[in-house]
């Protein structure tokens, strides 16, 4: 199991991701903001 410590950093989003309603994001764009991640699948 992965456990993030206080000195760990999140990896950058892969460049080939398809974003819905946005041209794309970088982690630096989100620094200092509250972020909610919603993971879902269609089935």
């Amino acid at each position: 199991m992965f456990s993030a410590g206080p000195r760990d950093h999140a990896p950058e989003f892969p460049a080939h991701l398809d974003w819905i309603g946005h041209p794309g994001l970088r982690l630096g764009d989100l620094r200092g903001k509250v972020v909610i991640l919603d993971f879902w699948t269609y089935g």
Side-chain angles (χ1 to χ4, degrees):
M1 178 185 275
F2 176 76
S3 176
R7 295 185 186 155
D8 293 334
H9 298 280
E12 190 61 56
F13 295 117
H16 66 274
L17 287 179
D18 292 328
W19 294 88
I20 298 173
H22 198 279
L25 290 172
R26 294 183 49 231
L27 288 179
D29 299 334
L30 303 174
R31 188 174 313 276
K33 298 179 181 176
V34 175
V35 178
I36 298 173
L37 298 177
D38 185 13
F39 296 93
W40 58 275
T41 60
Y42 180 79

